[in-house]
Amino acid sequence: MLDFFTIFSKGGIVLWCFQGTGVTESFTGPVNALIRSVILQERSGNNSYSHDALSLKYKLDNEFELVFVVGFQKILTLTYVDKFIDDVQLHFRDRYKNELEQKGALALLNSHFAFEDDFKMLLREAEESSKARGPTSMRSFNASLKSQKTVKSMIETKGGDKGKEQGGKKNKNELHILIKSCLVFQGMQLSSMKGDLLAVDYESSEGEEEEEEEEDAVERGAFGGMFGMLKGLVGSKSLSQEDMEPVLDKMRDHLIAKNVAAEIASQLCDSVAKKLEGKVMGTFTTVASTVKGALQDSLVQILQPKRRVDILRDVLEARSQRRPFVITFCGVNGVGKSTNLAKISFWLIENGFTVLIAACDTFRAGAVEQLRTHQRRLNSLHPPQDHGGRPIVQLYEKGYGKDAAGIAMEAIAYARNQAFDVVLVDTAGRMQDNTPLMTALAKLIAVNMPDLVLFVGEALVGNEAVDQLVKFNQALADHSMSDKPRLIDGIVLTKFDTIDDKVGAAISMTYITGQPIVFVGTGQTYNDLRSLNARAVVGALMKA
Ligand SMILES: Nc1nc2c(ncn2[C@@H]2O[C@H](COP(=O)(O)OP(=O)(O)OP(=O)(O)O)[C@@H](O)[C@H]2O)c(=O)[nH]1
Ligand SMILES: [Mg+2]
């Protein structure tokens, strides 16, 4: 019934494996996918994973640094798997304790793990006990269904207060539309922005001194208050879920207070717990720094881009292919799409590229004029006479009420003819629940296939960030005409200057999409554009 079972070290050495009779497919593909997309990305709070037709379940043994993975066909409902994986783990540890205690890869490579007979015996027992239990299997099915809930479905059940939040947002947006034109151009001044962007920074969260202070804080109070609860755990006791529960609860509250979406804070804590369960602890200081270290590692891991986004290089490559590089900006109303589009134009121009802005917000009064003003200002900063008589930035607009997808297409064709390096497509703000507008956005993207789809989101949002991103991605997937839909490729996190140290949205957004934060907006001038500095953000998150 099982396709495979494998036991490997966290260092990647396969200690033992079993392949079911008649199974010809190698298990390396699914196991590698599991490692890449779950274990390495801090998604290990949930212990199951799907890969094509297979269901994978896994367990981490943090004391001996082992991973146990079982694979079986998704259509099978194997109620015994969770217990079975626990049994195998215990049995394997007991039997090979001596070998596992010798540290180092060489010791593992030289050890021989003849586990086949024990494994088969355990499997037989598990299969029989599941048959014998019969009627109780219903309950364990429910339990496993619960554990397999996706982020999305969990979030969608939280109807109540979400509605309230959105209502508030709409009113704010209406207001915003009225006052925007007055505010938007105030104070846009500049300095040079050649080359890669500076990383966003925190005066208060970096530097050696701070590091030391943090260590002290762990022992005193502050964020360390919760580590204090681990004080009793000295000696060689290994950490259990119960030991960690109170600490994890505090950690979750701390993250939520920093604006991390509640679901994500919970998942992150579960993942940290999974990582630490079974670790043997030494003195109190080790416990405190281990828990803190695990959380910090997880946060940095989430913020580290899985994929390199190097726009300057990609634009050069597109230029060598004689085509414009196309970026589409999308997001809810008033988050800063047009303003940050203008800042990105400035950065591209400073780096020697020509830009065509496509005015595809044909909906909100004033949207086209807002872009025209930016275009004029940018051209006055880089006058045509410095660039062979040609305006370095142009606006492609067809007024209001027309089909945005069509205008984007014409703009891209125009840019190709006129040899523009980059097309930046501004779109109308839309709430994630507005189906007709979401469908229109999906069409614009499906038809024009931009090189980069950037989601623009405010750093001010908490739980709402997740809802926006999940629904934007869902709409792009649902309304795409291709089997490989274009989803969000990156995030622009705006108004970072307004949030003090409540930087949780950065974590929520990257966690949900798995996509990098490409730009951070830090104010209202053309210079207020940065790249993300994961260390500074994590520093701000950990601060009491
Ligand atoms: N403090 C701060 N304000 C910003 C930032 N980015 C944008 N804004 C301000 O946010 C307001 C809205 O910006 P817009 O660029 O018009 O937002 P939009 O998403 O294009 O809005 P719609 O087109 O109506 O959906 C303006 O007042 C901007 O100056 C930022 O990084 N920091
Ligand atoms: Mg706009």
Side-chain angles (χ1 to χ4, degrees):
M1 292 277 251
L2 298 184
D3 276 39
F4 68 84
F5 198 113
T6 172
I7 305 172
F8 54 93
S9 75
K10 285 192 184 168
I13 301 169
V14 177
L15 306 184
W16 181 83
C17 62
F18 158 87
Q19 191 135 14
T21 34
V23 177
T24 49
E25 295 274 307
S26 152
F27 59 80
T28 33
V31 171
N32 280 340
L34 168 80
I35 296 173
R36 258 198 322 271
S37 27
V38 181
I39 300 180
L40 289 181
Q41 292 192 30
E42 304 304 332
R43 285 161 209 269
S44 42
N46 188 352
N47 69 341
S48 56
Y49 173 66
S50 285
H51 184 265
D52 298 336
L54 282 182
S55 267
L56 276 69
K57 291 221 168 211
Y58 61 92
K59 175 131 205 232
L60 306 180
D61 183 316
N62 296 312
E63 184 181 348
F64 291 123
E65 309 265 288
L66 300 178
V67 186
F68 295 76
V69 183
V70 57
F72 51 94
Q73 293 296 317
K74 235 187 246 171
I75 44 166
L76 301 177
T77 310
L78 300 184
T79 52
Y80 59 80
V81 168
D82 287 327
K83 180 172 177 310
F84 176 60
I85 207 165
D86 287 348
D87 291 347
V88 172
Q89 181 205 11
L90 292 178
H91 208 88
F92 190 84
R93 284 169 49 121
D94 280 353
R95 185 155 169 205
Y96 298 107
K97 207 167 189 303
N98 293 338
E99 287 87 338
L100 296 172
E101 271 172 355
Q102 300 170 31
K103 292 280 174 221
L106 207 60
L108 287 179
L109 281 171
N110 288 336
S111 303
H112 181 58
F113 301 95
F115 192 57
E116 185 89 8
D117 292 342
D118 298 44
F119 177 82
K120 288 202 165 139
M121 188 251 317
L122 288 170
L123 184 58
R124 238 184 347 265
E125 277 176 17
E127 283 175 347
E128 270 159 24
S129 79
S130 89
K131 269 185 227 145
R133 265 190 287 137
T136 60
S137 62
M138 190 57 144
R139 198 178 57 188
S140 60
F141 171 71
N142 277 341
S144 88
L145 191 72
K146 192 171 155 202
S147 72
Q148 285 172 22
K149 269 185 190 169
T150 61
V151 177
K152 180 171 160 252
S153 60
M154 281 193 267
I155 290 153
E156 277 178 354
T157 52
K158 289 182 60 213
D161 51 2
K162 195 171 49 184
K164 240 190 277 165
E165 264 182 54
Q166 275 162 17
K169 178 91 192 160
K170 275 198 188 108
N171 289 338
K172 190 180 131 222
N173 286 327
E174 277 161 24
L175 253 185
H176 149 78
I177 289 167
L178 291 176
I179 56 177
K180 179 192 331 231
S181 327
C182 322
L183 290 180
V184 81
F185 301 116
Q186 280 173 13
M188 280 224 166
Q189 326 130 359
L190 21 121
S191 61
S192 167
M193 288 186 78
K194 287 210 175 71
D196 287 334
L197 291 168
L198 294 174
V200 69
D201 209 355
Y202 271 97
E203 305 90 54
S204 53
S205 66
E206 284 209 281
E208 296 298 310
E209 258 174 56
E210 182 71 19
E211 297 265 295
E212 277 164 32
E213 263 174 40
E214 272 177 28
E215 292 301 324
D216 290 351
V218 165
E219 293 182 32
R220 287 197 313 264
F223 193 45
M226 66 196 209
F227 296 113
M229 284 192 245
L230 289 170
K231 224 167 192 163
L233 299 174
V234 276
S236 59
K237 186 181 185 306
S238 66
L239 271 182
S240 73
Q241 186 76 33
E242 291 82 62
D243 295 332
M244 289 184 285
E245 203 69 60
V247 189
L248 292 171
D249 281 349
K250 277 228 159 176
M251 199 150 95
R252 189 174 301 122
D253 292 347
H254 176 84
L255 291 173
I256 292 172
K258 293 273 176 164
N259 237 358
V260 177
E263 287 304 336
I264 293 174
S266 298
Q267 289 181 24
L268 206 55
C269 291
D270 290 350
S271 173
V272 167
K274 284 263 154 62
K275 249 190 179 171
L276 292 180
E277 195 174 353
K279 267 225 156 97
V280 176
M281 290 298 148
T283 62
F284 162 65
T285 347
T286 339
V287 177
S289 54
T290 310
V291 177
K292 183 172 169 241
L295 177 63
Q296 224 158 4
D297 288 354
S298 300
L299 295 170
V300 172
Q301 188 75 41
I302 290 171
L303 289 173
Q304 264 341 315
K306 320 289 169 281
R307 212 163 39 77
R308 189 197 55 92
V309 179
D310 184 345
I311 295 182
L312 295 180
R313 211 200 68 157
D314 293 348
V315 173
L316 278 177
E317 194 175 316
R319 187 197 256 174
S320 71
Q321 297 164 6
R322 296 180 179 284
R323 63 176 187 88
F325 185 82
V326 182
I327 308 179
T328 302
F329 295 77
C330 60
V332 306
N333 313 69
V335 288
K337 293 176 294 298
S338 311
T339 307
N340 285 281
L341 177 147
K343 293 185 210 170
I344 293 166
S345 306
F346 179 65
W347 173 65
L348 289 165
I349 295 166
E350 287 273 295
N351 283 285
F353 296 116
T354 51
V355 175
L356 183 69
I357 299 175
C360 297
D361 179 353
T362 59
F363 190 71
R364 179 178 61 78
V368 176
E369 290 72 19
Q370 183 183 359
L371 292 176
R372 183 171 298 121
T373 313
H374 280 303
Q375 179 237 349
R376 289 204 183 116
R377 298 182 107 234
L378 290 167
N379 274 325
S380 68
L381 295 167
H382 278 266
Q385 52 271 33
D386 295 352
H387 300 278
R390 175 187 167 159
I392 196 144
V393 47
Q394 272 190 39
L395 182 68
Y396 191 94
E397 57 106 346
K398 290 281 153 173
Y400 294 94
K402 306 245 172 50
D403 173 43
I407 299 179
M409 184 173 274
E410 288 170 26
I412 296 167
Y414 179 81
R416 191 186 286 266
N417 280 337
Q418 303 290 318
F420 277 93
D421 296 316
V422 188
V423 181
L424 300 179
V425 181
D426 186 35
T427 64
R430 61 204 77 213
M431 296 308 289
Q432 67 271 27
D433 291 314
N434 186 329
T435 314
L437 290 181
M438 291 306 290
T439 314
L441 175 70
K443 179 183 147 202
L444 185 149
I445 288 169
V447 170
N448 291 295
M449 278 299 183
D451 296 278
L452 206 58
V453 178
L454 293 181
F455 176 85
V456 185
E458 287 175 336
L460 308 162
V461 288
N463 290 327
E464 170 77 3
V466 176
D467 192 51
Q468 289 177 7
L469 274 165
V470 168
K471 292 198 173 136
F472 266 75
N473 250 339
Q474 194 60 47
L476 296 190
D478 288 350
H479 303 294
S480 158
M481 288 151 263
S482 117
D483 328 330
K484 275 198 160 179
R486 284 307 309 276
L487 304 179
I488 291 162
D489 307 304
I491 295 160
V492 183
L493 192 62
T494 63
K495 310 192 185 179
F496 208 72
D497 50 315
T498 64
I499 52 161
D500 197 16
D501 64 356
K502 292 195 171 25
V503 295
I507 293 285
S508 307
M509 290 189 186
T510 31
Y511 190 91
I512 278 297
T513 56
Q515 299 297 349
I517 293 176
V518 186
F519 297 106
V520 181
T522 54
Q524 308 197 37
T525 81
Y526 289 137
N527 288 123
D528 293 325
L529 193 64
R530 298 281 181 277
S531 62
L532 189 83
N533 174 351
R535 239 182 71 81
V537 171
V538 172
L541 264 179
M542 300 294 290
K543 248 177 47 190

